[in-house]
Amino acid sequence: MTLPANKRIAESTVRRLSMYLRYLEGLDGVGQLTASSDELAHLCGTTPAQVRKDLSFFGSFGKRGLGYPVHELTERLREILGLGHAWQIVIIGAGKIGSALAEYRGFRQRGFQVVGVYDKNPEKIGRAWGDATVRDMESLAVDVAEQRVDIAVIAIPADDAQDVVDKIVAAGIRAILSFVPTSLHVPPHIAVKTVNMAMELEGLSFALTNRAD
Amino acid sequence: MTLPANKRIAESTVRRLSMYLRYLEGLDGVGQLTASSDELAHLCGTTPAQVRKDLSFFGSFGKRGLGYPVHELTERLREILGLGHAWQIVIIGAGKIGSALAEYRGFRQRGFQVVGVYDKNPEKIGRAWGDATVRDMESLAVDVAEQRVDIAVIAIPADDAQDVVDKIVAAGIRAILSFVPTSLHVPPHIAVKTVNMAMELEGLSFALTNRAD
DNA sequence: ATAAGTTTGTGAAGTATTTCACAAGCCTCC
DNA sequence: GGAGGCTTGTGAAATACTTCACAAACTTAT
């Protein structure tokens, strides 16, 4: 088992690993046996040195003069990223975005299984959404006690977010993917990632405004 | 006009400015007159020194002993981020995600106006989506010549992405927000931001797997 | 077997970003 | 109007991340 030692791995490195994996799966699918850091770098939009450095944190997978074995590296990366088993996720917030997420193919394709959809709005509770039925937010804690939930995806109004997050944490879920444009306060052992579309758009607005002409 | 000098502004700084702005708008809304770097830092989940450093790139907006004037700083940040006028965006890809985006309130609330929705699937062309009608992807170039488009948001299958991006660039659009889990190749003067949900989830998977217990 | 040609793995160097720490400035109160 | 209490703005230090550059190791060709 390639343990990441006691070194802290940079978030940017993990993001790139995820990208390497995606392209390696593609190469594996078409039967390519090896890939060089140069090839991976071009595919992923980074540099060969970066690829080698990223991978070297976890061991030496390549063969000098030849490159990396595609299939084996794919499996190693899955292992490193913890994709060996299906993570179970719940979606909280049965609005537009929650809806798109619940039906999003990419989740299941990559091993994330939606095991529940929650909302606090009585009008939405009980409706069928994809495979699941929308359940009352209040029953989350009880449900989690019966069926393991690894990750909560929240797509709810900003004003409700901290309350909901507190309930998620209290229920024992240790990872949150947030689509809420607010900073969330959680204990240090909880992993949080935020997707903030407004922030990305404003980044583009800044780039367009302050471009070097 | 607070020009960002000739210094390059880090992307992370821009993201935080966007977050400061969001909270300042809230404070302005409830009539708070000043805010210290300490208060902003706590709201945004960063440090006071970071707040001061970020803002100092653009000028000195605060008053020692007192903090930053909420309303004025709000306006300054809008200006810096280029939010003074409405940016016009098109959404390309009338699928689940494109749909959620087209109806997403957050866009218009923050000054981004959806002026068109495009797809290449004949079955989808012509349908009404929110305020707009889905148009043929092929007519993008002609449409852009008639009505300014600042940003293209793409929510399409990965295999189509590079083709579509090339058309976007050829049409003269200079900023792209991508929901496609692929690296895109564009000329250097084009600004691209990518939102990759699978990557975020895998980041959580990594965190859960390699947590410090 | 040897030479030529690749490509990895990795310290070291270079850049970028964050944090520190404190002088300087402003407000308030006496 | 001077003293005390905050809070900014910012060089300098610390930390984090990326790129360089090259020895070592492997493959292939002859």
Side-chain angles (χ1 to χ4, degrees):
Chain A
M1 181 80 168
T2 309
L3 54 159
N6 39 14
K7 248 175 280 169
R8 206 189 126 270
I9 301 298
E11 178 164 322
S12 48
T13 295
V14 177
R15 298 177 70 86
R16 283 190 299 267
L17 292 181
S18 176
M19 181 144 258
Y20 303 152
L21 174 58
R22 194 173 331 279
Y23 281 99
L24 284 165
E25 283 172 341
L27 296 177
D28 196 29
V30 300
Q32 185 169 329
L33 296 179
T34 62
S36 66
S37 57
D38 207 60
E39 179 173 10
L40 276 176
H42 278 95
L43 286 171
C44 300
T46 181
T47 65
Q50 184 77 78
V51 172
R52 295 199 298 276
K53 183 66 97 178
D54 286 339
L55 295 176
S56 77
F57 290 132
F58 300 93
S60 50
F61 306 120
K63 268 214 176 77
R64 298 175 186 215
L66 193 58
Y68 297 91
V70 170
H71 188 72
E72 190 193 317
L73 184 54
T74 302
E75 291 191 331
R76 271 356 234 312
L77 284 179
R78 295 191 135 276
E79 204 179 303
I80 289 166
L81 289 171
L83 300 174
H85 64 97
W87 295 103
Q88 303 196 318
I89 75 183
V90 291
I91 292 172
I92 300 178
K96 298 271 165 45
I97 296 177
S99 165
L101 294 174
E103 300 178 26
Y104 180 52
R105 287 259 161 67
F107 284 163
R108 180 146 317 170
Q109 275 178 3
R110 295 190 72 71
F112 297 88
Q113 193 180 0
V114 178
V115 298
V117 178
Y118 292 82
D119 204 298
K120 71 172 190 183
N121 182 344
E123 288 185 16
K124 287 178 176 162
I125 296 167
R127 291 199 194 164
W129 268 45
D131 301 337
T133 300
V134 178
R135 294 178 58 73
D136 187 346
M137 183 59 212
E138 294 306 317
S139 61
L140 178 68
V142 178
D143 294 355
V144 169
E146 288 178 13
Q147 178 177 49
R148 193 190 79 241
V149 173
D150 304 299
I151 301 171
V153 180
I154 58 174
I156 54 181
D159 290 342
D160 302 343
Q162 190 59 57
D163 262 11
V164 167
V165 164
D166 293 344
K167 283 179 181 140
I168 290 167
V169 172
I173 299 172
R174 291 197 318 285
I176 298 172
L177 175 58
S178 167
F179 286 81
V180 184
T182 315
S183 74
L184 303 173
H185 292 266
V186 296
H189 63 286
I190 307 289
V192 178
K193 300 266 175 187
T194 298
V195 171
N196 190 331
M197 286 179 290
M199 193 179 273
E200 305 299 336
L201 277 174
E202 285 169 19
L204 290 174
S205 172
F206 180 85
L208 287 172
T209 304
N210 306 83
R211 66 187 173 276
D213 276 330
Chain B
M1 184 78 168
T2 309
L3 56 158
N6 40 15
K7 249 175 276 168
R8 206 190 125 270
I9 300 298
E11 178 164 322
S12 47
T13 295
V14 177
R15 297 177 71 85
R16 284 190 299 267
L17 292 181
S18 176
M19 180 143 262
Y20 303 152
L21 174 58
R22 196 172 330 280
Y23 281 99
L24 284 165
E25 284 172 340
L27 296 177
D28 195 29
V30 299
Q32 185 170 329
L33 295 180
T34 61
S36 66
S37 58
D38 206 60
E39 179 173 10
L40 276 175
H42 278 96
L43 286 171
C44 299
T46 181
T47 65
Q50 185 77 78
V51 172
R52 295 200 296 276
K53 183 66 97 179
D54 285 340
L55 295 176
S56 77
F57 290 133
F58 301 93
S60 50
F61 307 118
K63 268 214 176 78
R64 298 178 186 212
L66 193 58
Y68 297 91
V70 170
H71 188 72
E72 190 193 315
L73 184 55
T74 302
E75 292 191 330
R76 265 8 228 308
L77 285 179
R78 295 190 136 279
E79 203 180 303
I80 289 166
L81 289 171
L83 301 174
H85 64 97
W87 295 103
Q88 303 198 318
I89 75 182
V90 292
I91 292 172
I92 300 178
K96 296 273 165 45
I97 295 178
S99 166
L101 293 174
E103 299 178 25
Y104 180 51
R105 286 260 161 66
F107 284 164
R108 180 145 318 169
Q109 274 177 3
R110 296 189 72 70
F112 296 89
Q113 191 180 1
V114 178
V115 299
V117 178
Y118 291 81
D119 205 297
K120 71 172 189 182
N121 182 343
E123 288 184 17
K124 287 179 177 162
I125 295 167
R127 289 199 195 163
W129 268 44
D131 301 337
T133 299
V134 179
R135 294 177 59 74
D136 186 346
M137 182 60 211
E138 294 306 317
S139 61
L140 178 69
V142 178
D143 293 355
V144 169
E146 286 178 13
Q147 177 177 50
R148 195 189 78 241
V149 173
D150 303 299
I151 301 171
V153 179
I154 59 175
I156 55 181
D159 290 342
D160 302 342
Q162 190 59 56
D163 262 11
V164 167
V165 164
D166 293 344
K167 282 180 181 138
I168 289 167
V169 172
I173 298 172
R174 292 197 317 285
I176 298 172
L177 175 58
S178 167
F179 286 80
V180 183
T182 316
S183 72
L184 303 173
H185 293 266
V186 296
H189 63 287
I190 306 289
V192 178
K193 301 268 174 184
T194 299
V195 171
N196 191 330
M197 286 179 289
M199 193 178 271
E200 305 299 336
L201 277 175
E202 285 169 19
L204 289 175
S205 171
F206 179 85
L208 287 172
T209 305
N210 306 82
R211 67 186 172 278
D213 274 329

